[in-house]
Amino acid sequence: MTDPHPAPPLRAPRDGTRGVPDATVARLPVYLRVLTGLGERGVTTVSSEELALAAGVGSATLRKDLSHLGSYGVRGVGYDVGHLVQHVGRCLGLAEEWRVVIVGIGSLGHALANYGGFAPLGTRVVALVDSDPSVVGEQVAGLEVQPAERIVRLVSELGVRIAVLAVPAASAQAACDAVVAAGITSVLSFAPVELQVPAGVELRRVDLSTELGILAFRERRRAAADGEEPVVVLPETLVAAGVGGRGARGVHAEVAR
Amino acid sequence: MTDPHPAPPLRAPRDGTRGVPDATVARLPVYLRVLTGLGERGVTTVSSEELALAAGVGSATLRKDLSHLGSYGVRGVGYDVGHLVQHVGRCLGLAEEWRVVIVGIGSLGHALANYGGFAPLGTRVVALVDSDPSVVGEQVAGLEVQPAERIVRLVSELGVRIAVLAVPAASAQAACDAVVAAGITSVLSFAPVELQVPAGVELRRVDLSTELGILAFRERRRAAADGEEPVVVLPETLVAAGVGGRGARGVHAEVAR
DNA sequence: ATGTGTGAACAAATTCACAGCG
DNA sequence: CGCTGTGAATTTGTTCACACAT
């Protein structure tokens, strides 16, 4: 699948999004956001240096990323903000509207439904569903909560392609199976469990506790590097989970090797 | 990852967390979650194959990750679930309690405050703050919302180290500056803007629209590969953002094939 | 001049494949 | 044997440095 050499003589690869690396794709939304912000503030031209700074990446990375989309910069000048917004936007699929259903209208589902930030990236929440009959019928963010079985019709009639799962961990796999069975091909889950999906279905997870766990790891590393003695508190929940180690202060970790 | 210089004599933490790659750190919380799940279901031993499957990674990756922590597996047998939970947990800092403040108690802040999933990863929400006086004093998830200025004291007196920003995009940078000035060293932001933080402060972003943007990109790529004609709708928001191609009707996406 | 676009060098992460241990 | 742990090979991503277009 890797044809390393012959590229240069060839023009833009078909529609411009063929071999874009995953790492680049993950940064495109960031670039787009920064660019639209600049545009709103009346900026018409940016250099890779400025744009990179604002996006929090290196300028070389930024230029390489944009070059993957068949870039539109002007040598000696920089990038035209308007053009670049259009170009990146089109690559991300913003000329189309990606319809989203939110599954599970608990407090997180509520928050997501009311969150206005999707639209600028081409996605729109068009339906809310919940399996709890006492929630169905409720009006949230201008939409009526529908029964879970309705997903099938949302996919076939409204063209919904993306499901956001905001359900409890215990029912996440079942909800995921249900939306996949209904024909959903992209899933964004907020539940703190690993979901299994069939091949061909895109799954992304956003997990608050995972993120906090990563931050905690770094805090801990920093504290250790500082020789600092952290406050040690053992909440019962952790003890119950079997964590804590002998003596409640396992500083003498085995330094194998 | 944020080390511009070619690794000087780095001071190693004297425990097992020396030189653990970022990619590995990001997976540890996942392993831990899967492991505790197995433990609760009475499983006492797992092979790298099984654990990897459940965690959604390759078995080689999993073994290499665990080996970075100075692994505890038994050749020919597998890993003892209980031991591994302890070990990974300790590496993630679960023997300590990482105190968290949530900044911004809007609908997302409410949802986060009520979300119970943190505890298993060693973090605990101990305070809520908001700059809006009409929200201050409200009782949410058993905590009273405090005025924003209180952050300084939360850091110095309660030992809060991590701030979760659930504020609107427009005030996110100001809120971020404020918590950093108060002495917070780790920030998890939900606002759809790129935040600038001084060196030494860990920043992670969770951005719903970015995630959906990535899914949309893949959906689009898939659709293009299928030769499918997507429903084309141009919401005004996109037009306003300058996306959609010159002529406002650029529906003639260059469909390859 | 100036700053993009890009090969080439480098670094990180993943995967392979197998030695070695229980 | 079976399965971990790990060097070596491979793939993937980042950074450098400079030719070249404007």
Side-chain angles (χ1 to χ4, degrees):
Chain A
M1 215 223 270
T2 347
D3 202 337
H5 283 150
L10 200 53
R11 291 279 295 176
R14 319 231 287 201
D15 72 341
T17 67
R18 216 190 18 162
V20 184
D22 282 353
T24 295
V25 172
R27 282 186 294 259
L28 290 181
V30 174
Y31 300 154
L32 186 57
R33 190 190 342 279
V34 172
L35 283 166
T36 50
L38 290 172
E40 278 160 17
R41 286 164 37 204
V43 179
T44 60
T45 303
V46 272
S47 68
S48 62
E49 204 78 47
E50 298 164 323
L51 189 48
L53 186 71
V57 302
S59 64
T61 300
L62 181 119
R63 289 202 301 280
K64 183 137 280 190
D65 282 345
L66 293 183
S67 79
H68 281 121
L69 316 180
S71 189
Y72 271 85
V74 181
R75 292 179 188 222
V77 178
Y79 299 91
D80 181 278
V81 173
H83 278 176
L84 204 49
V85 167
Q86 274 195 16
H87 192 64
V88 175
R90 232 186 346 248
C91 287
L92 275 175
L94 263 71
E96 303 150 37
E97 179 187 79
W98 298 99
R99 299 182 176 179
V100 174
V101 59
I102 296 178
V103 180
I105 312 301
S107 58
L108 181 58
H110 264 90
L112 295 177
N114 285 306
Y115 176 68
F118 307 125
L121 276 167
T123 52
R124 186 160 66 148
V125 176
V126 297
L128 313 175
V129 304
D130 201 302
S131 59
D132 181 350
S134 71
V135 177
V136 172
E138 203 179 302
Q139 205 76 13
V140 176
L143 295 168
E144 191 184 320
V145 179
Q146 302 181 52
E149 317 82 66
R150 198 65 62 83
I151 294 175
V152 180
R153 239 187 286 171
L154 292 172
V155 174
S156 60
E157 290 172 17
L158 271 184
V160 172
R161 297 259 187 82
I162 299 175
V164 173
L165 303 185
V167 300
S171 42
Q173 184 65 63
C176 182
D177 293 346
V179 300
V180 168
I184 291 284
T185 48
S186 289
V187 175
L188 176 60
S189 169
F190 285 83
V193 282
E194 305 313 306
L195 298 174
Q196 308 291 330
V197 294
V201 174
E202 288 291 338
L203 170 67
R204 290 189 70 84
R205 295 185 46 238
V206 170
D207 183 359
L208 318 179
S209 57
T210 295
E211 298 296 327
L212 288 177
I214 294 169
L215 286 176
F217 179 91
R218 297 201 179 138
E219 277 287 334
R220 175 162 174 274
R221 193 191 260 165
R222 179 205 326 263
D226 291 353
E228 187 183 324
E229 285 298 321
V231 184
V232 175
V233 181
L234 266 191
E236 323 71 61
T237 49
L238 299 186
V239 176
V243 178
R246 57 204 167 213
R249 262 215 104 306
V251 183
H252 293 285
E254 40 301 312
V255 188
R257 271 192 313 293
Chain B
M1 191 213 283
T2 342
D3 201 344
H5 303 295
L10 190 59
R11 192 118 69 93
R14 309 152 187 35
D15 57 14
T17 68
R18 229 178 350 176
V20 181
D22 282 352
T24 294
V25 173
R27 281 185 295 259
L28 291 181
V30 175
Y31 299 154
L32 186 58
R33 189 189 346 279
V34 172
L35 283 166
T36 49
L38 290 173
E40 278 160 17
R41 286 163 40 205
V43 179
T44 59
T45 303
V46 272
S47 68
S48 64
E49 203 79 47
E50 297 163 325
L51 188 48
L53 185 71
V57 302
S59 64
T61 300
L62 180 119
R63 286 201 302 278
K64 184 139 282 190
D65 282 346
L66 293 184
S67 79
H68 282 120
L69 314 182
S71 191
Y72 270 81
V74 181
R75 293 177 189 221
V77 177
Y79 299 91
D80 180 278
V81 173
H83 277 177
L84 204 49
V85 166
Q86 272 197 14
H87 193 64
V88 176
R90 225 180 0 239
C91 288
L92 275 174
L94 263 73
E96 301 150 38
E97 178 187 80
W98 298 98
R99 298 181 177 181
V100 175
V101 57
I102 297 178
V103 180
I105 312 301
S107 59
L108 181 58
H110 264 90
L112 295 177
N114 285 305
Y115 176 69
F118 306 125
L121 277 166
T123 53
R124 184 160 67 149
V125 176
V126 297
L128 313 175
V129 305
D130 200 301
S131 58
D132 181 349
S134 72
V135 177
V136 172
E138 203 178 302
Q139 205 76 13
V140 176
L143 294 168
E144 188 182 324
V145 179
Q146 303 180 53
E149 317 82 65
R150 198 64 61 84
I151 295 175
V152 180
R153 237 186 291 171
L154 292 173
V155 173
S156 60
E157 291 172 17
L158 271 184
V160 171
R161 298 258 186 84
I162 300 175
V164 173
L165 303 185
V167 300
S171 40
Q173 184 66 61
C176 183
D177 294 345
V179 300
V180 168
I184 289 282
T185 46
S186 289
V187 176
L188 176 61
S189 169
F190 285 83
V193 283
E194 304 312 308
L195 298 176
Q196 308 290 332
V197 293
V201 175
E202 288 291 337
L203 172 67
R204 290 189 70 84
R205 293 186 46 238
V206 169
D207 183 358
L208 317 179
S209 58
T210 294
E211 297 296 327
L212 287 176
I214 294 169
L215 285 176
F217 178 91
R218 300 208 176 132
E219 277 288 333
R220 175 164 174 273
R221 192 190 259 164
R222 181 207 324 264
D226 293 353
E228 187 183 324
E229 285 298 323
V231 184
V232 175
V233 181
L234 266 190
E236 324 72 63
T237 49
L238 299 187
V239 175
V243 178
R246 48 192 169 226
R249 56 202 313 277
V251 184
H252 299 292
E254 44 288 10
V255 179
R257 108 178 6 156

